[in-house]
Amino acid sequence: MTDESVLDEGRDFIRDIVAADLASGKHSGVVTRFPPEPNGYLHLGHAKSIFLNFGLAQEFGGRCHLRFDDTNPAKEEQEYIDAIERDVRWLGFDWGTNLFYASDYFEQLYAWAQDLIRSGKAYVDDQSQAEIRLTRGTLTEPGQNSPFRDRSVEENLDLFARMRAGEFPNGTRVLRAKIDMTSGNINMRDPVLYRILHAHHPRTGREWNIYPSYDFAHGQSDAIENITHSICTLEFADHRPLYDWFLDNLPVPSHPRQYEFARLNVTHTLLSKRVLTQLVRDGHVSAWDDPRMPTLAGLRRRGVPAEALREFVKRIGVAKANSTVDIGMFDFAIRETLNRTAQRRMAVLKPLKVVIENYPEGPSELLEAVNHPDDPSLGVRQIPFGRELYIERDDFMEDPPKKFFRLAPGREVRLRYAYFITCKEVIKDANGEVVELRCTYDPATRGGNAPDGRKVKATIHWVSATEGVPAEVRLYSLLFSAPQPDAANFAEQINPESLEVLTGSVVEPALAGDNDPAAMQFERQGYFCRDRDSTPGKLVFNRTVGLRDTWAKVASEG
Ligand code: ATP
Ligand code: MG
């Protein structure tokens, strides 16, 4: 995932270019921009671009603009604008007063298009989209000139004005640059500058009936905002000659330089707004912030801290060659961050009842538990312990194999922060299923150690059956089991087991009063956070990530 362009952590070819441009005096300050199109929610790939653009501005004392590339009202919505702002802020960045929209420049862009017409460098083409596509040529064949290419300046200005005024239906005419239909670079074969689109725009309403193309809007917006380094992904390298052609042929106030870096690709993940939109629209997931989604909203809802994204992006670096990052690296960054910061709690996901026969009936006692084993500043809490408890069903086996050290008939284990208990009797229902364990405890082992020095081989977690709080726990796994899902047939590749809902879980009472959305570690289980579906009467938790890399094991075994 790295190449020679990554010099060391926090250093890469783009940072080198910026540093050199500042050192040589070419620029007195760095100005970057993050230019999302508001046609969907941001995903993990966008985070890479955000950390790079906003990060550069921070590191070099410059500024980064948030610019909405709102040139296609057919697909853009205010909901997406709001979501994008929320997500960029969540990652820790603030654009201050530097919030812009390509639509702010529609009037200027229109005037510049007229300038191109006047200098004979643009024309109105009456061909259909299909005809334009057919006559564009291929990588090996040149394109053919449009029969409308040599219209007079006057006719072009007139038609262009009437396109703007809404005289013509969608798709009947376009404005094209007049460059070179034989160019080796297909982007230079008279690219489309404007298309007719009678649509309501979230910001300009019905004011416009024509909208500029990405290529025509992007570089000129950069120039208007005095962007110094316009950073985009590698697919745009072939657009760079066009980016420069516009800036060279228009009276723009500055001439930014475009630089390309490798987009982020992650195994088992599709980072494409088109696919993510379909997943939501077709109901494959519950919403844009479904915790299985690689959207920033989904990751946040799953409990992934922004700091883990920062850590991940820093580790993968900024390279010039495309590659695919193993999703295990992302999970690793999440685990590492949460291991440092997350408070510990106890929760029993699949409960099995335990009755401690020699524990007095009546009121429970409180036992002390640390909130973080390595960070005493996070303090301690009191957990109620009593005669009736729940332990994890998986922590008991009636007939254990050799390597199973947890609870079994006749065996003694430690209950975390509590006592040693010994299993005396197994109670089954009519189907032979174990429904309860009768145990005894050793009162001398309070706090979890035996005064006589005897040892137990396992420590298991537990929750009081009378004071524990019922909860639903949602366990997520990969949305796509294939390491390289195919974006063209993604629906067929969705993992039918990507969501498992446990409705009978029990959590320690401290979790009921806690409204903190930050992820916690459920001891021995993984990291979990409270979901926004929680209500006063019903707690819901999402598994952020397990404690260990279980999927990699499954993948290699499978
Ligand atoms: P998608 O490919 O998901 O549809 P997009 O490129 O169309 O995304 P934009 O809103 O245009 O989405 O992207 C805004 C910025 O984020 C662009 O500068 C783009 O280069 C960058 N970006 C998008 N996807 C990635 C990615 N996977 N890795 C790095 N940067 C990305
Ligand atoms: Mg794009």
Side-chain angles (χ1 to χ4, degrees):
M1 73 290 335
T2 53
D3 71 6
E4 69 288 347
S5 59
V6 180
L7 300 179
D8 55 54
E9 206 179 37
R11 199 69 199 280
D12 53 65
F13 77 99
I14 292 191
R15 285 176 166 87
D16 286 348
I17 290 169
V18 170
D21 286 350
L22 292 175
S24 72
K26 181 174 173 196
H27 295 297
S28 56
V30 58
V31 187
T32 55
R33 85 286 171 269
F34 173 64
E37 185 181 351
N39 61 351
Y41 279 53
L42 298 181
H43 55 59
L44 193 50
H46 293 113
K48 179 175 179 178
S49 175
I50 293 168
F51 280 116
L52 179 57
N53 282 296
F54 279 94
L56 278 169
Q58 244 170 23
E59 288 156 42
F60 291 94
R63 60 177 202 268
C64 179
H65 297 182
L66 174 61
R67 184 200 312 142
F68 288 102
D69 179 25
D70 56 346
T71 52
N72 184 5
K75 291 193 172 162
E76 296 160 6
E77 286 172 32
Q78 186 63 39
E79 179 197 344
Y80 300 141
I81 294 180
D82 298 340
I84 289 168
E85 292 192 4
R86 203 158 49 232
D87 289 344
V88 176
R89 283 214 179 84
W90 176 61
L91 292 182
F93 298 108
D94 184 1
W95 48 90
T97 54
N98 300 304
L99 175 64
F100 301 101
Y101 295 83
S103 57
D104 295 340
Y105 314 132
F106 280 175
E107 204 61 61
Q108 176 65 76
L109 292 171
Y110 181 81
W112 279 337
Q114 289 177 310
D115 287 345
L116 287 179
I117 293 175
R118 284 191 201 97
S119 56
K121 291 173 186 150
Y123 62 97
V124 172
D125 194 344
D126 299 357
Q127 293 185 107
S128 69
Q129 265 184 344
E131 285 167 322
I132 291 177
R133 206 177 314 117
L134 278 175
T135 53
R136 193 178 285 140
T138 63
L139 284 173
T140 49
E141 278 171 54
Q144 296 151 37
N145 285 351
S146 164
F148 303 96
R149 200 172 195 261
D150 295 318
R151 280 181 155 142
S152 69
V153 169
E154 290 65 37
E155 190 183 3
N156 279 317
L157 285 173
D158 174 63
L159 285 170
F160 188 44
R162 289 162 61 196
M163 283 166 62
R164 175 180 179 166
E167 272 188 41
F168 312 119
N170 287 352
T172 50
R173 289 188 163 86
V174 292
L175 184 75
R176 296 177 77 175
K178 194 191 277 190
I179 307 180
D180 179 4
M181 288 305 290
T182 65
S183 172
N185 182 339
I186 293 179
N187 292 299
M188 301 300 275
R189 295 183 189 167
D190 292 10
V192 171
L193 309 187
Y194 274 90
R195 61 210 179 288
I196 299 172
L197 186 62
H198 298 268
H200 181 270
H201 185 283
R203 291 177 55 84
T204 60
R206 299 301 306 228
E207 192 183 331
W208 292 85
N209 299 298
I210 53 172
Y211 289 93
S213 62
Y214 168 87
D215 284 316
F216 190 61
H218 198 83
Q220 280 67 268
S221 301
D222 285 346
I224 292 169
E225 293 175 18
N226 292 303
I227 300 299
T228 55
H229 300 79
S230 176
I231 301 162
C232 60
T233 41
L234 285 177
E235 341 52 290
F236 290 98
D238 285 347
H239 294 242
R240 189 171 359 116
L242 182 57
Y243 183 97
D244 289 329
W245 187 90
F246 289 129
L247 298 181
D248 289 340
N249 285 284
L250 288 170
V252 287
S254 75
H255 193 139
R257 275 282 311 264
Q258 175 181 302
Y259 296 95
E260 304 91 20
F261 73 105
R263 63 184 282 117
L264 174 62
N265 300 304
V266 181
T267 57
H268 300 279
T269 310
L270 287 170
L271 297 179
S272 144
K273 275 190 284 190
R274 183 189 63 77
V275 171
L276 299 179
T277 305
Q278 292 292 121
L279 286 170
V280 176
R281 236 170 245 171
D282 299 346
H284 297 295
V285 295
S286 61
W288 279 100
D289 69 349
D290 186 303
R292 291 165 293 177
M293 291 279 272
T295 51
L296 300 185
L299 296 171
R300 179 168 60 236
R301 184 170 173 194
R302 207 176 96 199
V304 175
E307 197 187 334
L309 276 102
R310 177 186 287 276
E311 197 50 44
F312 172 63
V313 163
K314 193 163 134 191
R315 268 189 216 156
I316 56 180
V318 177
K320 275 192 242 184
N322 277 326
S323 63
T324 299
V325 176
D326 194 312
I327 198 166
M329 270 188 78
F330 183 46
D331 289 347
F332 182 78
I334 300 171
R335 267 187 214 108
E336 214 183 43
T337 305
L338 289 177
N339 184 39
R340 243 184 317 109
T341 58
Q343 297 223 4
R344 272 50 172 178
R345 295 288 181 267
M346 288 204 288
V348 174
L349 301 192
K350 296 177 184 164
L352 174 60
K353 183 120 173 234
V354 167
V355 176
I356 303 186
E357 294 184 318
N358 60 337
Y359 193 89
E361 306 256 3
S364 59
E365 66 181 307
L366 291 173
L367 297 171
E368 188 171 283
V370 297
N371 288 328
H372 196 291
D374 311 318
D375 186 353
S377 76
L378 290 175
V380 296
R381 67 191 186 287
Q382 307 293 320
I383 314 178
F385 182 86
R387 186 178 153 86
E388 299 197 353
L389 307 170
Y390 288 117
I391 64 166
E392 208 69 60
R393 198 159 264 284
D394 288 351
D395 282 337
F396 171 79
M397 280 186 95
E398 192 175 12
D399 191 12
K402 241 183 156 178
K403 292 250 167 92
F404 186 88
F405 299 116
R406 290 166 277 163
L407 201 57
R411 188 179 290 171
E412 186 172 51
V413 299
R414 176 190 292 108
L415 293 181
R416 185 112 164 106
Y417 307 119
Y419 296 96
F420 287 10
I421 59 164
T422 304
C423 177
K424 297 292 185 189
E425 191 188 343
V426 178
I427 298 182
K428 298 180 183 175
D429 65 10
N431 302 321
E433 210 194 315
V434 177
V435 290
E436 188 179 303
L437 304 177
R438 310 294 287 194
C439 299
T440 57
Y441 84 124
D442 177 356
T445 57
R446 193 173 196 270
N449 288 302
D452 63 4
R454 79 180 186 276
K455 300 274 184 243
V456 285
K457 283 206 169 137
T459 300
I460 64 176
H461 61 276
W462 54 275
V463 169
S464 156
T466 49
E467 288 168 73
V469 179
E472 174 177 316
V473 176
R474 299 175 182 168
L475 305 178
Y476 302 99
S477 39
L478 297 164
L479 193 53
F480 297 104
S481 351
Q484 314 279 352
D486 173 13
N489 299 306
F490 69 89
E492 290 150 38
Q493 301 173 64
I494 293 174
N495 172 11
E497 280 153 26
S498 59
L499 169 62
E500 183 187 354
V501 180
L502 306 176
T503 51
S505 303
V506 186
V507 303
E508 67 166 269
L511 286 163
D514 188 359
N515 278 316
D516 191 347
M520 289 147 303
Q521 185 188 104
F522 286 177
E523 296 207 27
R524 303 180 60 234
Q525 299 284 5
Y527 297 95
F528 294 79
C529 76
R530 171 190 282 258
D531 187 75
R532 63 166 166 76
D533 286 349
S534 294
T535 59
K538 183 182 156 204
L539 288 174
V540 180
F541 292 94
N542 296 317
R543 182 170 66 193
T544 311
V545 67
L547 283 183
R548 267 171 293 277
D549 193 352
T550 46
W551 75 265
K553 213 172 120 232
V554 172
S556 66
E557 283 165 359

